[in-house]
Amino acid sequence: MGAYNWNWPILLKEPYFGWIVSGFGNTCLIAVIAWAIAFPLGSAVGLARTTELPWLRLIGTAYVELFRNIPLLAQMFVWYYVVPELLPNDWSQWVKRDMPYPQFYTAVLCLGLYTASRVAEQVRSGIEAIPRGQRHAGLAMGLTPGQVYRYILLPVGYRTIIPPLTSDFLGVFKNSSLALTIGVLELTSQARQIEEYTFAAFEAFATATVLYCMVTGLVILIMRQVERRTRIAGTIALGAS
Amino acid sequence: MFAGFDFDVLIKSLPFLWLGMQLTLQLTVLAVGGGLILGTVLAVIRLSPIKPLSMAVAAYVNFLRSMPLILVIFWFYTLIPRVTGTSVSSFYSVLIAFIMFEAAYYSEIIRAGISSVRRGQISAALALGLTPPQAMRYVVLPQAVRNMIPVLLTQSIIMLQDTSLVYVVGLRDFLTSAEIVAGRDNRPIELYLTVALVFLVVCFSASRLVNLMRRRYSL
C-alpha cells in the first residue's frame, strides 16, 4: 500500500459521525422489525408443513420455495417497483403518495417475508427431528392435535433449533444492507457515502465492519446463554455459529 | 391486472438480458470453483493440528461470516485498486470478493463433512493396517464427500442468487441488465417479474435435483 492518508478523526466530525450513528440505528431497526415479522410468520409456515393436512402443507411448501428461490435483491425490486403498481387503485395511491418512509417499510416487509421462509425451514426440521412416537403417544393419550403441538412438539422443537435460528437472525441483520439498493440509509450505505464525500474508504468501511462484528459477537454470546438455560437434559449442545 | 403486460419489451431486450445472464453464470461458475479450492485449503488448515494456523483460519471464517456480502464487495472494490495501485476491472474485484466470501462458507461445510465421519472409522482403518493417507483416501473422504456434496450444491445455488448483488457496483449481470431496461423503457413490472420467474425456475429445479441426488447417494 503506497501513501495512504489515514484520517480517522474525520469520522468523529459532523456530519459523518451522525451518519454512522443513524446508519447503525437504521440497520438495527430494520433487522429487529423484520425479525418480528419473520419469526411468527415463519413459525406458522413451518408448522403448516408438519401438519397432517395436505393442502396446508402445500401452502407452506409453496411459500418456502417461492421466497427461497428468488434472489433477495430481485424480491426487493419487486416489492418496491412492481407491487405498488399491481395493488388496487386507492391502495396504490396511498403507497405511492401517503405512506411514510416507503423505502424503509418496503425493505422491512421484504426482509421479513424472505427471512420467514428460512425460519419456516428451521421450525419444520426442529419438529421433524422429534421422534414420531412422541406425537403418536400424545394423540393416544387423548390430547388434541393442537395440544400435541402446544405441550409436546413446540417446547422441544424450538429449544433444539436455537443455534440455527440465531444464524437466521444474524442473516436478517446482515441482509438489511440490501435496503441500500432502494435508498435506505443504513450502515453500509452510510459508510459508502462517507467514502464518497471524504475518500476515507478504509476508515469508513472498517468502522462499519467493526459494528457488524460487534453485534454478531454480542448476539452469539447472548444466545449461547439462552441455549444453555433452555437445554433439554441429556442432549448435546451445539454452539451457535 | 396483467392486461397491460407488454411482451414486446421483453422480446426486444432478450439479447441484452442474455448478455447479463452470461455474466451471472460466468461469475457463478468462477466464484464456485475458486471458492471450493480456497474453501478446501481453509478447511484442511482448520483441521490441522498446528494450532496458530487453525486459529487464524477460524478467525478469518468467523470474521467474514459476520459481514454482509455487500460490504465485502465494497471493501474489495475500493481496496484492490488502492493496494495494487492499478485499476482492476470491477468484474475481477467482485470475483475476488465472492471467492473470499464463499470460501468461508464452503470451508465450514467441508470441515463439517470431514468431522461427520466417526472417529471409530479411522481407528478401524488404521487397525486394519492402512496408512493414514490411505485411511483418508479410502475410508474418510468417500463418506465425507457424500455427506457434503448436497450442502455444497445448495450453497452454490445461494451463490448464484447472491451474484445479483454485483448491482451495487454497476456490473451488468442479469438483474442489473433488467434494471437498465426497466428504467429505459419504463417497464418495471415486466422486467422484474421476468427476472424473479427465471431465477425461481432455475433455482427451484436445481434444488429439486440436489434433493433427488441426496436421496439416491446418501449413506
Side-chain angles (χ1 to χ4, degrees):
Chain A
M1 210 180 311
Y4 183 79
N5 290 319
W6 294 100
N7 192 356
W8 288 100
I10 200 162
L11 293 180
L12 293 174
K13 283 197 196 121
E14 287 305 330
Y16 309 120
F17 186 72
W19 287 359
I20 292 177
V21 172
S22 76
F24 183 59
N26 274 338
T27 289
C28 294
L29 210 58
I30 293 171
V32 169
I33 305 179
W35 184 254
I37 298 173
F39 186 67
L41 179 63
S43 298
V45 174
L47 285 188
R49 295 190 74 182
T50 64
T51 58
E52 313 269 327
L53 304 167
W55 60 273
L56 204 55
R57 297 165 73 112
L58 187 72
I59 292 176
T61 308
Y63 183 94
V64 169
E65 296 297 346
L66 180 67
F67 282 90
R68 207 174 45 171
N69 286 313
I70 298 174
L72 185 52
L73 187 54
Q75 295 187 29
M76 195 69 88
F77 286 169
V78 168
W79 284 113
Y80 191 62
Y81 296 108
V82 178
V83 171
E85 306 289 335
L86 301 180
L87 289 172
N89 245 339
D90 32 344
W91 288 30
S92 168
Q93 289 297 328
W94 181 78
V95 169
K96 284 187 209 161
R97 264 191 299 177
D98 304 326
M99 193 167 104
Y101 309 111
Q103 293 94 345
F104 181 85
Y105 285 111
T106 305
V108 164
L109 181 75
C110 170
L111 279 166
L113 296 184
Y114 169 78
T115 310
S117 72
R118 313 197 64 99
V119 172
E121 280 302 87
Q122 312 296 5
V123 170
R124 176 175 76 104
S125 71
I127 289 177
E128 282 178 353
I130 302 170
R132 290 194 75 76
Q134 297 212 9
R135 182 198 290 255
H136 295 153
L139 291 172
M141 287 179 74
L143 297 182
T144 63
Q147 286 173 324
V148 169
Y149 274 100
R150 167 75 186 77
Y151 295 108
I152 300 175
L153 299 179
L154 293 186
V156 178
Y158 274 119
R159 281 149 82 184
T160 55
I161 57 167
I162 289 175
L165 281 182
T166 306
S167 298
D168 283 335
F169 175 73
L170 293 173
V172 76
F173 175 68
K174 287 181 282 178
N175 283 334
S176 66
S177 58
L178 267 76
L180 74 84
T181 58
I182 57 170
V184 180
L185 294 173
E186 46 65 70
L187 186 54
T188 303
S189 68
Q190 294 288 30
R192 176 83 164 145
Q193 202 175 332
I194 293 173
E195 186 247 336
E196 276 163 5
Y197 275 67
T198 67
F199 299 104
F202 287 90
E203 293 86 335
F205 289 146
T207 308
T209 304
V210 167
L211 286 171
Y212 279 112
C213 290
M214 265 171 42
V215 172
T216 302
L218 197 68
V219 170
I220 288 178
L221 277 182
I222 294 171
M223 290 317 287
R224 265 197 204 141
Q225 286 305 316
V226 173
E227 202 194 338
R228 202 164 296 159
R229 295 266 169 93
T230 57
R231 191 159 76 210
I232 300 163
T235 57
I236 305 161
L238 301 158
S241 57
Chain B
M1 183 164 90
F2 287 103
F5 201 92
D6 184 355
F7 285 100
D8 267 5
V9 171
L10 287 178
I11 294 166
K12 265 187 264 166
S13 54
L14 261 185
F16 185 67
L17 292 179
W18 173 236
L19 276 181
M21 187 47 119
Q22 282 175 324
L23 188 125
T24 293
L25 295 176
Q26 208 179 354
L27 201 56
T28 306
V29 170
L30 291 176
V32 166
L36 275 178
I37 294 169
L38 185 58
T40 310
V41 173
L42 291 178
V44 170
I45 298 176
R46 179 97 195 252
L47 289 169
S48 81
I50 309 162
K51 270 276 160 308
L53 276 181
S54 97
M55 273 166 69
V57 169
Y60 171 83
V61 169
N62 288 332
F63 177 61
L64 274 186
R65 294 209 316 167
S66 56
M67 262 160 80
L69 180 51
I70 291 190
L71 188 57
V72 179
I73 292 174
F74 282 146
W75 260 119
F76 282 93
Y77 188 67
T78 52
L79 187 79
I80 294 175
R82 298 261 178 102
V83 171
T84 58
T86 51
S87 63
V88 179
S89 77
S90 42
F91 181 84
Y92 284 106
S93 80
V94 162
L95 177 61
I96 293 170
F98 276 122
I99 289 176
M100 305 289 277
F101 185 78
E102 289 303 317
Y105 286 81
Y106 283 135
S107 82
E108 282 298 281
I109 296 170
I110 295 167
R111 185 173 72 102
I114 293 176
S115 313
S116 73
V117 178
R118 273 169 292 151
R119 286 229 154 264
Q121 298 266 334
I122 302 170
S123 315
L126 295 176
L128 279 165
L130 297 182
T131 63
Q134 281 177 328
M136 196 65 176
R137 164 79 185 76
Y138 294 106
V139 179
V140 177
L141 282 184
Q143 301 181 61
V145 167
R146 262 196 239 181
N147 283 339
M148 64 186 148
I149 279 190
V151 194
L152 287 175
L153 288 174
T154 304
Q155 180 65 29
S156 304
I157 297 172
I158 296 173
M159 164 86 232
L160 167 68
Q161 297 186 19
D162 280 348
T163 55
S164 59
L165 294 183
V166 299
Y167 168 81
V168 298
V169 294
L171 210 56
R172 289 189 182 177
D173 73 322
F174 186 47
L175 179 59
T176 311
S177 305
E179 195 255 356
I180 292 168
V181 179
R184 192 192 61 197
D185 298 348
N186 195 22
R187 283 283 167 194
I189 301 180
E190 286 83 351
L191 269 304
Y192 292 132
L193 288 184
T194 305
V195 170
L197 189 69
V198 168
F199 271 109
L200 181 63
V201 170
V202 171
C203 297
F204 179 74
S205 329
S207 63
R208 279 290 120 135
L209 277 177
V210 173
N211 267 343
L212 215 72
M213 225 183 75
R214 191 201 306 262
R215 234 168 276 156
R216 180 164 299 179
Y217 295 108
S218 69
L219 295 167

